[in-house]
Amino acid sequence: MTLSASAAELVHGTALALDGKVVLIRGATGSGKSDLALRCIGLASPMDLPRVELLSDDQVWLTRDGRGIEATPPPAIAGKIEVRGLGIVEVSYCASARLALVIDLVPPDRVPRFPLEELFTELLGTTVPLLRLTPFEASAPLKVVLALARYPEVLTPP
């Protein structure tokens, strides 16, 4: 449901928070969004970075304000994540953080070994850095954490 392209939008995806910043993970149903999120949450704190927290699984509210894009979970699914084989599981979660990055889940042949240029996507009229990752590689959770630590929150244009 889109309220307004410039105000708020409910998007399909899974969001993780790290140190006040959010990565939105997008992909088709069954592509591994929740599984990747679960593995990121379960990581020991790598390289002295804060631990990753769930912000929202399956759907995320994005709201643009004068500073950037805030991500929040829909109340009905806050603190819940789908764990294939177990069902819906409750976990601790972050209630709000600022969008810094979008990751699209893709097959391995769509992930460049050395990206020659940065990719971007547009959400709520704001340009957001975009990475492509393969979700089921052993290194995928660490790649998510390293990428999110690398990017600052996205600021909205004046």
Side-chain angles (χ1 to χ4, degrees):
M1 176 179 133
T2 299
L3 295 180
S4 165
S6 62
E9 184 175 358
L10 183 64
V11 298
H12 177 74
T14 294
L16 298 173
L18 174 74
D19 203 21
K21 300 181 296 183
V22 167
V23 59
L24 173 64
I25 302 171
R26 304 187 301 189
T29 300
S31 64
K33 296 179 297 297
S34 298
D35 185 85
L36 178 56
L38 192 63
R39 289 182 287 133
C40 289
I41 293 165
L43 275 179
S45 184
M47 297 177 225
D48 296 323
L49 295 171
R51 288 192 67 133
V52 172
E53 293 181 278
L54 177 70
L55 187 127
S56 190
D57 185 37
D58 192 49
Q59 296 179 345
V60 183
W61 274 112
L62 298 180
T63 306
R64 180 182 165 168
D65 60 23
R67 191 173 134 217
I69 297 176
E70 179 183 20
T72 56
I77 61 171
K80 297 176 179 159
I81 187 168
E82 179 186 347
V83 179
R84 192 174 299 264
L86 291 179
I88 305 299
V89 175
E90 292 194 26
V91 297
S92 63
Y93 71 99
C94 176
S96 174
R98 295 287 175 164
L99 185 65
L101 176 66
V102 173
I103 292 178
D104 282 344
L105 301 183
V106 298
D109 64 342
R110 294 207 35 224
V111 179
R113 184 170 179 183
F114 293 105
L116 299 177
E117 61 185 69
E118 280 196 83
L119 300 175
F120 296 92
T121 189
E122 188 171 306
L123 293 168
L124 297 174
T126 301
T127 302
V128 181
L130 172 71
L131 292 179
R132 293 183 179 136
L133 289 181
T134 300
F136 297 111
E137 291 178 341
S139 61
L142 187 53
K143 289 176 184 179
V144 171
V145 174
L146 291 173
L148 186 53
R150 176 180 174 186
Y151 286 92
E153 71 181 59
V154 174
L155 301 177
T156 55

